[in-house]
Each structure stands twice: as C-alpha cells, then as structure tokens.
Amino acid sequence: MSQLREPAFDRVVALVLRVGAFGCFFIMLAGLVIGLFVPGHIPAAIKRAGVLLMLATPVVRVAVAGVLFLREKDWKYGAISLGVLAILVLSAVSGIGEH
C-alpha cells in the first residue's frame, strides 16, 4: 500500500516540516532582535521557545505520518511510526531533569 501513496500524504508531511522550520527561524530571529533592545530574560525565553519548536518538529512529523498511514489503512507503517513516536516520547520524558 505504501507504494501507492497519494501526493497529499507527502504534501502534508512536507508542510509540517516547513512550518516547523520557518516557525523556529522566525521565533529565534525575534528573540535575537528583541535581545538587542530589551535586556533581561525575555529574549532568552523567546529563543528557548524557538529551540523547543525545532526539537518538536520531527516528533510532530512522525505523529502526523503515523496518523496518515493509519488513515490509509497501511497498518505496518502506521505501527512503525507510532513505535518510533513512543521511543521519542519515552526518551524525552526520561531525559527531563538530567544535567
């Protein structure tokens, strides 16, 4: 089934990656520009939000791909995607608080 994927599948996944990349860029740019004019922790918090968006983009991409595979009834690749998503979430949760 995966060889007969609709072009819409690839467009949705590409859109997720594009929105994440451009969103990250503009948020971090805003943090840099604000940092030129506003001292304090606010610019650092904005830049941190950009980095978090950069880290979340691949996770969202895997989740979207998993849902799209399951909607196409491609159970094998849907299960693989959800397994990868579980690994990503578990590794992020177990790494919280580590220094």
Side-chain angles (χ1 to χ4, degrees):
M1 266 194 194
S2 65
Q3 294 174 350
L4 303 174
R5 259 193 337 239
E6 295 181 20
F9 181 96
D10 295 327
R11 276 186 264 144
V12 170
V13 172
L15 178 66
V16 168
L17 293 173
R18 197 174 306 121
V19 166
F22 283 119
C24 164
F25 172 76
F26 287 118
I27 290 172
M28 291 182 75
L29 182 65
L32 288 171
V33 170
I34 291 171
L36 295 174
F37 302 107
V38 178
H41 298 289
I42 294 173
I46 294 172
K47 289 184 270 188
R48 188 175 301 120
V51 171
L52 288 174
L53 179 60
M54 184 188 328
L55 293 172
T57 299
V59 177
V60 173
R61 182 244 183 254
V62 170
V64 168
V67 169
L68 291 174
F69 279 129
L70 292 175
R71 270 184 47 195
E72 290 182 354
K73 294 183 176 49
D74 194 345
W75 308 117
K76 178 181 175 183
Y77 286 107
I80 290 170
S81 295
L82 294 179
V84 169
L85 181 63
I87 291 169
L88 289 171
V89 169
L90 288 174
S91 64
V93 169
S94 66
I96 291 176
E98 295 291 321
H99 293 103

